[in-house]
Amino acid sequence: MQLNFEPGRFYHNDAADNLLGEITYTQIDDQTISIDHTFVAPTYWHHGLARQLLQAVLDLAIQNHWKIVPVCPYAKKVFQQEEDIQYLLKNPIQNQEN
């Protein structure tokens, strides 16, 4: 699936130019971005589009040596579930014992 890029966002539109998914990020400083919002149209839920969008931001962060502050719930969830990407976090996830 081809993703489009504009500074601050990756997105995917269908042939009729309808937005099917997007992820937005904000440059906090020279070394840090926040992932602010992830949207996927209901017809594309469970097709991996959200993860593809997130991966595009992760790849950009790796390329630019940026750390990430996940703000949107989807990004937070993925960072909690996938230990192999947690090195990109500005503030590492702490193990919490209940």
Side-chain angles (χ1 to χ4, degrees), residues 7 9-10 14-15 24-25 31 40 57-58 62 65-66 72 82-83 85-86 93-94:
R9 83 189 264 244
F10 285 92
D14 65 11
T24 62
Y25 66 91
Q31 301 165 358
V40 174
V57 175
L58 299 179
I62 291 166
H65 307 286
W66 294 336
C72 89
E82 298 184 23
E83 291 183 16
I85 62 172
Q86 291 178 7
I93 295 174
Q94 301 294 320

Side-chain angles (χ1 to χ4, degrees), residues 45-75:
W45 289 356
H46 309 291
H47 287 89
L49 180 54
R51 188 62 175 86
Q52 271 190 288
L53 291 162
L54 178 61
Q55 189 61 52
V57 175
L58 299 179
D59 292 344
L60 186 65
I62 291 166
Q63 178 183 8
N64 288 289
H65 307 286
W66 294 336
K67 292 295 184 178
I68 297 172
V69 176
V71 175
C72 89
Y74 175 75

Side-chain angles (χ1 to χ4, degrees), residues 3-62:
L3 298 180
N4 300 301
F5 171 77
E6 294 175 357
R9 83 189 264 244
F10 285 92
Y11 63 100
H12 178 68
N13 292 347
D14 65 11
D17 209 31
N18 297 308
L19 182 65
L20 298 179
E22 79 172 340
I23 191 166
T24 62
Y25 66 91
T26 302
Q27 191 82 40
I28 296 173
D29 58 35
D30 290 343
Q31 301 165 358
T32 311
I33 62 169
S34 64
I35 298 175
D36 305 315
H37 171 73
T38 305
F39 163 78
V40 174
T43 55
Y44 271 74
W45 289 356
H46 309 291
H47 287 89
L49 180 54
R51 188 62 175 86
Q52 271 190 288
L53 291 162
L54 178 61
Q55 189 61 52
V57 175
L58 299 179
D59 292 344
L60 186 65
I62 291 166

Side-chain angles (χ1 to χ4, degrees), residues 69-80:
V69 176
V71 175
C72 89
Y74 175 75
K76 286 180 180 181
K77 178 181 171 185
V78 174
F79 272 103
Q80 289 172 346

